[in-house]
Amino acid sequence: MIRTLLWYLLLPIVLLSNEQVTDRPRIIAVTHVTVIDATGAAPKPDMTVVIVNERISQLSPSKQINIPDGAHVIDGREKFLIPGLWDMHAHISDKTYLSLLIANGVTGVRDMGGSPDEFQQLQRWRREIADRIRIGPRILMAGIHVDGPKQIGRPYSLNVGTGDEARRAVNTLKRSGADFIKVYSMLPRDAYLALAEEARQQGLLFAGHVPFQVSVVEASDVGQKSIEHLFGMFAACSVNESALRDQAIALINRDGFAAFVRAELQAQMRSLNSYDRKKATALFARLVKNGTWQVPTLVGWRNLSSPEDFQLPRGGKYLSSEKREAWEKQRTGLLSSLPTEYLKKPERLFDKQLELVGAMHRAGVGILAGTDTATLYVVPGFSLHEELTLLVKAGLSPMAALQAATRNPAQYLGKLEVFGTIEAGKIADMVLLEANPLENIGYTQRVAGVFVNGYFLSKADLRILLDEVESSVRHEKRFEQTP
């Protein structure tokens, strides 16, 4: 109660400083900049980009453009302009995450769901961002997860056990304002199939885990738009798929929701020696044909592969002590619950996860950059840059990794004509960088400025946002220590 009161006392200061750093001129011109438009084309040096009312109105070589009178001019010499980044798998449960995302050039997020209270507050933040009361990314939201019956399903989900319950859940979420449906691991097969049909009739995408009772092929065939965390993929590439899924289902039926990570890891580990290249090739072709995307969340898998010695990651100082303490408890719990076969050599599975992502990309399966913010040691904004680095390690080119966070999200959402690349007529959500990310994908971290929602935030402005978050964390610590 007291901590909440302290935050509301600080909130007017945060909003006041945001107003100070976000002058919103009607016309902005970025001159003499190298444009990396994310279409796949080579970088275009010495370009000028003119933005009028949030849209790119002109994009041409600098010598060919007359800058409109009254434009706010930003010198882009020795800098690189890319489309705004998207984190396509996030859980935004704290308002400070919005600032952390923007400070890292993340101008859009797909929130993958949470509790009813979190859904309501996220809807409120989205309205405030749209009304320019608050600075933050564009947000798509799943609302509340849909999972299996209460005795085995995820807490705080819409728990369904039958087809009729699944159809009602879809309609409930549509009325509540969800942009899409998030499915979870313990959905019974009949309920899942009914949900897929109802979502199609209601014009809603559905995405998420592949439930243990459903095969990846079935999920793709009935229209699941994206598969998160590679769930089900290793078993689907194994000659022992049926046995692996039966073993996972038995574990889930015995131990319920608490066992879902263990069940997936068990299936992945036991599939390593039964991987069938021919079966995998046919599966990837099926995913391409059906337009089923993958969101591997490699940064989360990397963190899970080193639970014994993982340290607080870059950006961790911007998170509350409550979040860091929750992470430590989660890490400790994982060490006692993960399969023994996994704990003996977790890096072996992570290497295979990287290989699988690379193989899918080469086969033409669409890859989306997502982090699972803010699960175990995944820091909002900061971790998206780590995800891009891991995608390159998996075999994607720097351009392909960049597209996984820019062009691909727009294509996935059917909005490629609106955003995702730097082209005339599109929304001008963009990131100004100090170095070329096509030479080193890690250079996406070198943010010099962010364009979002009609604003330009300079490097100094972004520093203010981060300082505000750090200050709120320090105030929290100091208050907690007061007798």
Side-chain angles (χ1 to χ4, degrees), residues 11 119 131 145 265 269 285 357:
L11 183 58
F119 183 32
D131 293 340
H145 309 90
L265 281 172
M269 288 297 297
V357 171

Side-chain angles (χ1 to χ4, degrees), residues 131-189:
D131 293 340
R132 299 186 176 89
I133 297 171
R134 182 179 300 282
I135 293 174
R138 302 180 192 275
I139 302 172
L140 294 171
M141 59 187 78
I144 308 165
H145 309 90
V146 181
D147 204 0
K150 286 187 178 180
Q151 65 269 27
I152 61 168
R154 188 181 196 275
Y156 307 115
S157 293
L158 288 176
N159 297 105
V160 304
T162 68
D164 286 343
E165 290 173 344
R167 283 185 280 270
R168 284 196 294 271
V170 171
N171 284 275
T172 295
L173 286 166
K174 184 174 182 178
R175 288 193 302 270
S176 71
D179 298 310
F180 63 99
I181 307 295
K182 164 71 177 293
V183 294
Y184 226 76
S185 297
M186 271 62 79
L187 267 176
R189 183 175 182 277

Side-chain angles (χ1 to χ4, degrees), residues 222-240:
V222 299
Q224 181 161 329
K225 189 66 174 178
S226 66
I227 295 172
E228 316 298 309
H229 320 301
L230 305 176
F231 273 22
M233 288 300 301
F234 277 84
C237 294
S238 168
V239 293
N240 299 326

Side-chain angles (χ1 to χ4, degrees), residues 202-478:
Q202 296 298 329
L204 288 175
L205 300 180
F206 70 102
H209 300 192
V210 175
F212 288 109
Q213 292 188 21
V214 178
S215 72
V216 169
V217 167
E218 286 180 304
S220 178
D221 284 350
V222 299
Q224 181 161 329
K225 189 66 174 178
S226 66
I227 295 172
E228 316 298 309
H229 320 301
L230 305 176
F231 273 22
M233 288 300 301
F234 277 84
C237 294
S238 168
V239 293
N240 299 326
E241 179 179 5
S242 295
L244 291 171
R245 289 180 49 228
D246 287 346
Q247 291 166 10
I249 291 168
L251 181 56
I252 288 293
N253 288 338
R254 189 189 73 192
D255 294 346
F257 172 75
F260 91 94
V261 173
R262 186 163 75 254
E264 175 61 27
L265 281 172
Q266 175 182 280
Q268 291 191 19
M269 288 297 297
R270 293 178 180 178
S271 72
L272 295 184
N273 295 325
S274 58
Y275 184 91
D276 186 298
R277 190 176 301 276
K278 184 176 179 180
K279 189 179 182 189
T281 299
L283 173 64
F284 301 160
R286 190 77 156 261
L287 298 179
V288 172
K289 177 178 178 290
N290 291 335
T292 309
W293 296 72
Q294 288 284 333
V295 191
T297 61
L298 291 171
V299 67
W301 285 120
R302 183 207 61 191
N303 293 352
L304 195 62
S305 72
S306 54
E308 291 185 329
D309 55 9
F310 203 80
Q311 302 297 315
L312 192 66
R314 179 172 174 263
K317 68 178 182 179
Y318 297 110
L319 297 181
S320 68
S321 58
E322 182 179 29
K323 170 56 72 176
R324 295 196 300 273
E325 289 167 4
W327 278 351
E328 181 57 27
K329 289 180 182 178
Q330 185 181 1
R331 185 184 71 86
T332 302
L334 282 170
L335 287 173
S336 62
S337 66
L338 293 178
T340 303
E341 57 206 291
Y342 175 74
L343 288 171
K344 286 180 179 177
K345 204 169 183 180
E347 65 277 6
R348 178 178 179 232
L349 179 57
F350 184 60
D351 289 342
K352 292 298 182 181
Q353 289 165 338
L354 292 173
E355 288 181 21
L356 181 62
V357 171
M360 286 192 292
H361 170 68
R362 289 189 296 274
V365 177
I367 305 295
L368 298 168
T371 64
D372 211 6
T373 287
T375 54
L376 184 65
Y377 296 111
V378 180
V379 181
F382 292 89
S383 289
L384 183 66
H385 301 288
E386 297 177 60
E387 184 72 16
L388 298 183
T389 298
L390 290 171
L391 288 175
V392 170
K393 188 175 181 180
L396 279 68
S397 68
M399 173 60 80
L402 184 63
Q403 288 177 320
T406 55
R407 186 186 186 280
N408 292 6
Q411 183 178 348
Y412 170 91
L413 295 167
K415 297 289 186 181
L416 192 53
E417 76 284 359
V418 179
F419 66 90
T421 60
I422 299 178
E423 297 177 90
K426 293 192 174 183
I427 290 174
D429 287 354
M430 302 182 294
V431 185
L432 194 62
L433 300 176
E434 295 175 337
N436 184 353
L438 301 186
E439 294 179 356
N440 182 336
I441 194 63
Y443 290 161
T444 58
Q445 299 178 62
R446 298 180 60 176
V447 177
V450 176
F451 301 82
V452 63
N453 206 16
Y455 296 121
F456 172 66
L457 297 128
S458 68
K459 189 173 183 177
D461 297 334
L462 299 174
R463 182 70 259 169
I464 290 173
L465 286 182
L466 290 175
D467 287 347
E468 288 170 353
V469 174
E470 188 174 10
S471 176
S472 72
V473 171
R474 283 202 308 269
H475 278 286
E476 175 198 50
K477 286 181 180 178
R478 188 159 55 245

